[in-house]
Structures are given as C-alpha cells and as structure tokens.
Amino acid sequence: MQGRQDYTAHEALVRAARAKPELWRLGLGLILIYLVGFALSSLTLPLLATLFPGDWIEGLQSGTTPGAMLVLLGGFAFMTFGVALTARVLQDRSFWSVIGHPRPLIHQFLRVSLYLIALGITLSLLPPYDMGAPLTPNLSFGLWLSLLPFSLLVVLIQTSAEEIVFRGYIQQGLAARFKNPLVWLLAPSALFALGHYLPNEAGENAVLIALWAGVFGLLMADLTARSGTLGPAIAVHFFNNVTALLLFASPTSLYGLSLYLMPYEMSDAQALRPWLAVDFALMLVTWLAARLAIRR
C-alpha cells in the first residue's frame, strides 16, 4: 500500500463521524447494532415459521436448504438497519454518510462489477479446469435458476451488511479518532478475521481461513479508503460470495443455494490447502482489478 495521500477520498466517509468521534460511541454502537439485529430476528423467525412451515428452519444455522439460506442471508438486512439507526442516534449521521453518496457508490459498484465479470470469464478459460476431483451436483439446474434472482438479492444484502459494519461503521469510527491509517485498516480486518474463525467446521484449516478473511478485510478497507464509498468493496465481496455460496459451495455448511458442492470439506487440510493458496492469489488479482476500475 502506498502513502496516506492515496486515501484522501476516505475523508468523504469520515467527515460526518468526526463530529462525535468518542470511542465509547463506537463500542456502544456495535452493541446496539447487535441488539437491533437480534430483536428483529427474534420477531421475524417465528412469524416466517408460521407462514411458511417446513423443514427449512431445521437447517437455519447451517444453511443446508434453500429456504434456510434465503432467510439466513436475508436476515443481514437487520444488521444494516441497525447501523442506520445507530449512526443517527449516537452520531447524528445519515445512512448515506456511512456508505457514501449514492451516485458515485452505484457508479463504482457497477464499474468494478464489469471488471470482475471480465476477469471471471478470463480465468474460467485458463487451467486448471477442475479441482482434482469431480464436483457434486447440489440443486437441479432448473431449481437453481428459478431461485437465482432471490439468491443474488440475499447475497447482496449479506455482503453489503458486512461491508457497512466493518468497512463502514467500524472503520470510519476509528478513522475519526485515529489519524494513523494502520489503526483503522488493521483493527476492523482483525475483527473480520475473528468472525471467520470456525474451528468446529474448518478444523486444521481454521487459522488459514481466518487469515484469508483478515487479508480480504484489509484489501476491502484499502478499496474503501481509495474510493470514498463502499461500492467497490461491496462489489468484490458480492462476487466472491456469489462464487462461494451460489456456484461452488463447501459441503460442510451454507450450501443450500449452490449449484455444485466442492469435492473437499473445509476441514480437509491435505486437499484444501493448495486451493487456499490459489484463493489467496485470486483475492489479490481481484483487488488489483477493482483498483484499476476505480482509478481516476
């Protein structure tokens, strides 16, 4: 990463937070975001279970059915609502001040998305053409296609919510208090990594997967600081999760909306670790493509 002068666009996001930069507001805000999400989920889930009875609720935590995944990912909207409420109550900020002005945000999101589509098509034409073992079909193509508009919507909700919390509320709150970019780049990324530490599911791979998430968070923080909106980070996160949740999902969990299942579980260290190295490389290439897309 280059000097601080490359992050001048970040001031557009941080400016509103500087009026009330106290760290206690940031901490209390995170608690409030959690409580709002928990309360709304507690009210919504029983209602959905009554209106749409079925076995989807049994797989809600693991995301093993289409219904469970739609509800699980769609529920991240409560997190976004929590941020909007918290920013207004504790910092007297608008929601747009957290995510960026809508016009450049949408423009950057679409531009980065076009670059990532082109990158994805290019990479699909290059070897290797498989993962060393056959993929397992999950949903039938017809069902997968019929669910795709809803699947894309809930993945967008989920990825947007995570970016709004980590690269929005937390990053801006720290940047309003600390001038050193290392603080507001690294601290939210470390929290993001901690949230992806899943030893029960990933076994020996848990630390590497958390490290991947931490590096991913750092790169998304860099994109946000360079662009002045959350648009580029949301686009990259969205395309990453579309691949991981809707196309080639892990057979361990969160595969309810996926077309195929990968041939290896998250805990399979010998088989999965070489692909984690590929994933790290792909993450860097994706970040560079997004950097190119937003370059003025």
Side-chain angles (χ1 to χ4, degrees), residues 3 12 23 28 30 43 45 51 143 146-147 152 193 199 207 222 258 288:
L23 290 181
L28 181 60
L30 293 176
L43 292 172
L45 287 178
L51 294 175
L143 177 58
S146 68
L147 290 171
L152 291 173
V207 172
D222 172 77
S258 181
L288 290 172

Side-chain angles (χ1 to χ4, degrees), residues 9 13 28 39 47 71 110 112-114 135 159 257-258 266 280:
L13 290 173
L28 181 60
L47 178 61
V71 173
L110 294 176
V112 171
S113 296
L114 289 175
L135 296 170
T159 52
L257 293 172
S258 181
M266 290 175 62
F280 269 98

Side-chain angles (χ1 to χ4, degrees), residues 170-183:
I170 299 177
Q171 181 170 320
Q172 293 161 23
L174 291 173
R177 180 65 179 79
F178 301 100
K179 292 184 178 180
N180 191 334
L182 290 179
V183 175

